Amino acid sequence: MTIEQLFSRHHILFDGGTGTEYQKRGLPVGAAPEEWIFANPNAVKDVHKAYVAAGSDVIETCTFGATRDRMKLAGIQSSVADLNKRAVELAREAADGKALVAGSVGPLGGILEPYGDLAIDDAEKMFAEQMTALVEAKVDIVLIETMLSLNEALVAVRAAKNAGAKIIGVTMTFEPTPDGPKTSFGESVRDVVAALENESISFFGSNCGSGFELMRVVANEFRAATKSPLLIQTNAGLPFMENGKNRYPEAPQSFGGFAKELADLGIQMIGGCCGTTPDHIAAAGINIKR
Ligand SMILES: [Zn+2]
């Protein structure tokens, strides 16, 4: 499949949660999934393959936290470039031509100036280091996700463009507030749309968050505010503890129903986040036209 074929589809199905899938396969809660790129590559490929088998048109590399400071904090020894390149190879091998590969880029883990002490220049350098590796390894899409601040998202977009990424997507995470959904930094969906439309990237939207109820509001606000292609990757609700394990409230069937709601609303790209599984993605695939 080529990127042109992908974007000619009626709807595009992304993958679902990966961190939670690794935990099922033995990754300790709190450990960085990126550790498994070199320590347990077969498990990483297994998760990718399960999503391809479930019908994902796009799978995301295991590189959400593969930036310098986060890797250092996680105690990962390999270089940023090596880890990101290997992660793309694993995803590409698992996709086996049936799905495209998006390079996942998460927040850097610090707070950018003027609110925190992470200098904009340093932030851009860290994003650039990761994205250059992703682009050199030929990812189809650079997906900047779970962004909590528009400021950081825009620095990441600049780094992606400078790294030569052709297809760039950005998804922001919102929280419920009395004034509707806002990012941690108080930005509304309208603020996000205004800023990202200005960047002429390929698509944007929202991921993670607090469950279907808030994401329904977020998706409606996005659709009302823009004609741009949108990606919504919701989690399976907020986790709760049961017998010492994290459990997520939304079952595959209810996720499938929510995917249909999103598709009917005109959301072109749909996937899952924390707690969603290949079964959730398969249930979504049944309900949306591609
Ligand atoms: Zn999530």
Side-chain angles (χ1 to χ4, degrees):
M1 183 164 51
T2 65
I3 197 85
E4 289 76 21
Q5 288 167 334
L6 181 79
F7 281 109
S8 69
R9 290 194 172 200
H10 205 81
H11 290 100
I12 298 169
L13 190 58
F14 277 59
D15 61 6
T18 49
T20 39
E21 287 300 296
Y22 295 151
Q23 285 163 13
K24 279 186 208 162
R25 290 164 174 79
L27 183 77
V29 174
E34 292 78 15
E35 279 180 26
W36 273 12
I37 293 295
F38 288 109
N40 196 356
N42 286 334
V44 174
K45 279 175 81 169
D46 271 358
V47 172
H48 286 319
K49 281 181 185 169
Y51 279 117
V52 175
S56 296
D57 304 305
V58 178
I59 56 171
E60 294 180 32
T61 56
C62 179
T63 55
F64 181 81
T67 39
R68 184 165 291 251
D69 281 1
R70 287 184 70 144
M71 283 174 57
K72 204 182 291 171
L73 198 66
I76 299 173
Q77 302 295 326
S78 51
S79 77
V80 170
D82 286 353
L83 189 132
N84 279 278
K85 286 180 178 174
R86 185 70 187 126
V88 177
E89 281 173 14
L90 294 176
R92 189 69 75 188
E93 285 165 24
D96 196 23
K98 297 185 196 80
L100 294 187
V101 174
S104 167
V105 176
L108 296 169
I111 299 176
L112 267 67
E113 58 186 14
Y115 303 102
D117 57 9
L118 178 55
I120 301 283
D121 272 2
D122 292 338
E124 191 168 342
K125 276 187 197 127
M126 282 194 279
F127 279 131
E129 186 179 27
Q130 177 184 27
M131 291 173 181
T132 300
L134 292 172
V135 170
E136 282 179 6
K138 298 192 161 50
V139 285
D140 300 297
I141 297 167
V142 167
L143 180 55
I144 298 159
E145 57 180 356
T146 325
M147 285 288 140
L148 308 174
S149 108
L150 205 38
N151 196 13
E152 185 169 356
L154 293 173
V155 172
V157 167
R158 193 158 66 221
K161 287 179 178 171
N162 288 338
K166 298 275 185 291
I167 309 289
I168 303 169
V170 174
T171 50
M172 307 285 302
T173 299
F174 294 88
E175 300 167 3
T177 83
D179 300 323
K182 295 276 170 73
T183 67
S184 305
F185 286 76
E187 295 131 352
S188 67
V189 171
R190 283 194 165 277
D191 296 334
V192 165
V193 169
L196 293 179
E197 274 197 328
N198 214 21
E199 293 293 325
S200 318
I201 54 176
S202 299
F203 61 91
F204 49 81
S206 180
N207 76 308
C208 216
S210 68
F212 294 180
E213 201 181 322
L214 183 73
M215 198 56 107
R216 182 176 288 121
V217 178
V218 167
N220 273 284
E221 288 191 5
F222 264 109
R223 193 67 294 167
T226 180
K227 291 188 162 58
S228 296
L230 293 171
L231 168 63
I232 298 288
Q233 296 198 280
T234 185
N235 56 19
L238 284 179
F240 58 92
M241 289 295 273
E242 194 178 76
N243 302 325
K245 282 193 174 148
N246 267 338
R247 299 252 307 162
Y248 287 82
E250 304 288 358
Q253 206 181 359
S254 64
F255 184 83
F258 188 61
K260 183 172 188 326
E261 245 185 81
L262 293 175
D264 290 346
L265 180 66
I267 306 295
Q268 294 94 331
M269 298 177 231
I270 295 168
C273 202
C274 309
T276 58
T277 69
D279 288 344
H280 288 73
I281 295 302
I286 292 168
N287 283 349
I288 64 177
K289 184 180 155 204
R290 279 181 286 156

